[in-house]
Amino acid sequence: MQCQDAQALMTAYLSDEVVSIERREFEEHFTTCACCREELASFRESWERLGRWPVPAMDSRIERDLLARVEQEAATLGPRLRPVATALAAVAAVLLSIAASVFLPYERAFQLCREGLKGFSVFAGLPDSTLFFIAGIFYGVIPLLLVGLVSARLMGGAGAGLNGTATGVAFALLMAPYVLIVCSALPGAFTAAILGGIALGGLSGSAGGLWLGSRTRRPAW
Amino acid sequence: MKEPSDLELMLAVKAGDRTAFEQLYRRYRDRLYAFLVRYTGDPSSAQDLFQETFLRVFRDRARYEPRAAFATWLFTIARNLFLDSVKRAWTPGTFIEPETATLSIPDPTPGPLETLAQEEAEAVLRRAVASLAEEDRAILLLSRFEGLRYREIAKILGTSEGAVKVRAHRALQALRRALTD
């Protein structure tokens, strides 16, 4: 081992980070090199001096305050309804869902559903209202999944279930007038089926989005 | 009875066990506080960061993943909080100078001259450590006092083990220079 290599390893050696062969070579070098021995002694002195640095005792009030704050946190950290965030999330989801229905009207989604499912024997003979229900799910689940993901990343995962459910319910209530107007030409059973699908999709999409978002949120640490 | 590991305790905290949190707290209290005092150079800032760090551990307990050791997670939080506080309140290059009167003395009955000499020695050391770059200071303190391995420190700093090794040596070289100047 050369002096330059040995000197580069001195701090690692003092930290017990030099192992096996390298450590042996390092120690062998010191038996023959007085200059490196001296250098290591000087490093060791600084290392030891640093290690003797005392710290003041912590004020006992700090501990009391901290544990009291933890107690307080524990009491407030349970699932908590966030009305403003929930309302904003529901409105955003409504806008997304309406935009989706403009690009792909409900009747067209129903037809796509019928065509897509007719190849599967298990879905053969499903009544049209069920197909409207299935089509409706997409208008609920996709907007709420997106909104839930964003909300969770912004506000954290606490109360994901509660806030997700509240957002889903608010979304379904806000969507109802729009669906009733847009589907006024359709039989009532179909309108109800679409609305039911949207509500179910909204509830599951919202809870799922918030849950997924809280799992993937970048931690503060 | 066998003491529960950090991981076992943290998983219990995650499941809502506050006694486990207190156990973890007592296990790391002195280490974290000492690290923060040396790292910030200021007992008052250290106390604030100490509280915030443990509060953050408690708040983020649901997101704790046992991929890294608890100590690594704890010191990562502490360092990030310190960096945030620097961004918020400090101008670059400033370092809080602690009141020397608050420093404890290891010998319970030193004479006045001895006390003065010790205080002076500590002040020199404190200034020397304060003169190091933030990352170098963190590496040196985590390695020297916390006994963390370079690979663990690399995780805390979000860098490679090789980079920690190089910086640790550079930090000790700089400290040696500062102590002998």
Side-chain angles (χ1 to χ4, degrees), chain A residues 144-164:
Chain A
L144 264 300
L145 196 64
L146 292 173
V147 167
L149 269 170
V150 174
S151 310
R153 290 182 76 86
L154 292 178
M155 66 183 184
L162 178 67
N163 287 295

Side-chain angles (χ1 to χ4, degrees), chain B residues 83-104:
Chain B
L83 294 178
D84 286 348
S85 74
V86 170
K87 268 189 222 154
R88 276 199 312 271
W90 293 0
T91 51
T94 58
F95 191 84
I96 293 174
E97 271 297 317
E99 293 170 27
T100 47
T102 60
L103 290 175
S104 68

